[in-house]
Amino acid sequence: MTSADSIYNDLKRRLHDVVPDVELRYKAGIAAEINELKKQRNAVILGHNYMEPALYHSIPDFAGDSLELSRRAAETDKDIIVFCGVRFMAETAKILNPTRTVLLPARRAGCSLADGITADDVRSLKQKYPGVPVVSYVNTNADVKAESDIICTSGNASRVVETLKTETVIFLPDEYLARNVAKETGRHIIFPSKGVPRTMDASLEYAMIGWTARCEVHEKFTVDDIKAVRKQFPDVVILAHPECSPEVVAASDFSGSTGAMIKYVEKTKAPRYLLLTECSMGDNIAAAQPEKEMLRMCSVRCPHMNEITLEDTLEALKKTQYVIEIPDEIRLRARKALDRMLAVN
Ligand code: 13P
Ligand code: SF4
């Protein structure tokens, strides 16, 4: 049996309900070429949980959430890291393991959160609130990380904030994640960029200072969605990513990183579950846990994650593209902030 045949059989077993057969055959052929080239080029492929199902189940050496993949990137001794995820993730890999060649298969696979704040914005906030530590979500560009004291992911945000042991923190750039973390860590929150009166801005009695960027995928889920599903299926267990609004998180049964959601579904004895997150991840979990009933309300695909295809990943390995470069001056400062996060874990 060729390696394309064996990948096809495996994909067919997992994904026959989700992906048409002809597409599986075609994609198995590309995946086999990628896996061969990966060996020849001494490369490792890291795949985020939001990768499309055929890619997710065929080529990554490691799949996971942002935190897990950061750790894998930092540890690898392979010459090339191919990052099947979005730009800020590939940048994080380069910052943590700068002697490796890091490739992002699509020229521009961005993120609405990373696009929602600039390094100048962070510098202005630091001027306005001198001495207040800056916690930045990993979904930020490298120059924003370089202006930050410590990074967090959805898997450790509250823990990172708590380890700082300061009265006030600046938490950037996701409004909803900030609100969720403020609630979990018992802090008040203000948003200077929303035009809060000046007298309030200067005060440090507020324990968290946020920003107003949002994830264009997770902001779409509403409490009404949850009510409608619970009405029809009262025994459903609902899982929400912490980039959803605090109201949606409060109306759900569990909130955690993509990796934590996967573990929750693996363990739950609930008869059925609903995921409030990016829809490819739903397909990936459903394929891994066929005996559990997943309710499919979700149709929100992240357009940035969707840029990463098997075809482009093959091209990336053939042509060594697109290489992630970060100027040393930014990389070294961003590295300090990331190392502080990894030390917390
Ligand atoms: P995770 O770190 O939970 O995988 O989240 C990354 C992300 O971009 C979610 O939208
Ligand atoms: Fe960014 Fe949202 Fe896409 Fe995650 S799902 S990469 S936060 S836009």
Side-chain angles (χ1 to χ4, degrees), residues 45-119:
I45 298 184
L46 305 181
H48 187 261
N49 291 326
Y50 289 169
M51 288 298 99
E52 60 97 355
L55 185 157
Y56 180 84
H57 288 286
S58 61
I59 60 166
D61 297 287
F62 301 102
D65 61 17
S66 309
L67 184 58
E68 169 70 8
L69 295 181
S70 303
R71 290 206 189 101
R72 297 291 183 185
E75 283 164 13
T76 190
D77 59 359
K78 298 284 184 188
D79 295 331
I80 297 176
I81 300 171
V82 182
F83 215 115
C84 291
V86 289
R87 177 164 285 272
F88 75 80
M89 296 178 177
E91 283 188 351
T92 301
K94 183 68 184 177
I95 294 164
L96 289 171
N97 209 338
T99 57
R100 312 293 142 189
T101 298
V102 178
L103 304 179
L104 181 66
R107 197 188 292 277
R108 164 105 197 118
C111 168
S112 64
L113 287 174
D115 289 344
I117 192 160
T118 65

Side-chain angles (χ1 to χ4, degrees), residues 48-50 64-69 86 88-89 111 113 137-139 153-155 215 217-218 241-243 256-261 277-278 281 302 305:
H48 187 261
N49 291 326
Y50 289 169
D65 61 17
S66 309
L67 184 58
E68 169 70 8
L69 295 181
V86 289
F88 75 80
M89 296 178 177
C111 168
L113 287 174
Y137 193 28
V138 71
N139 297 37
T153 73
S154 59
C215 164
V217 172
H218 291 95
H241 194 276
E243 290 167 12
S257 72
T258 57
M261 287 168 134
T277 192
E278 209 278 341
M281 186 168 117
C302 170
M305 293 283 182

Side-chain angles (χ1 to χ4, degrees), residues 110-164:
C111 168
S112 64
L113 287 174
D115 289 344
I117 192 160
T118 65
D120 272 347
D121 293 329
V122 188
R123 284 190 281 270
S124 302
L125 280 169
K126 289 201 291 190
Q127 262 177 9
K128 203 167 181 177
Y129 302 101
V132 177
V134 177
V135 181
S136 285
Y137 193 28
V138 71
N139 297 37
T140 44
N141 295 326
D143 57 351
V144 166
K145 288 188 176 74
E147 293 298 332
S148 311
D149 294 289
I150 187 163
I151 306 303
C152 72
T153 73
S154 59
N156 62 15
S158 295
R159 218 170 337 136
V160 164
V161 166
E162 272 164 354
T163 57
L164 293 174

Side-chain angles (χ1 to χ4, degrees), residues 6-25:
S6 88
I7 294 173
Y8 166 75
N9 288 339
D10 186 54
L11 291 179
K12 177 103 183 129
R13 182 175 56 79
R14 295 171 188 274
L15 302 174
H16 59 275
D17 279 345
V18 184
V19 184
D21 190 60
V22 60
E23 190 178 324
L24 289 181
R25 269 243 177 259

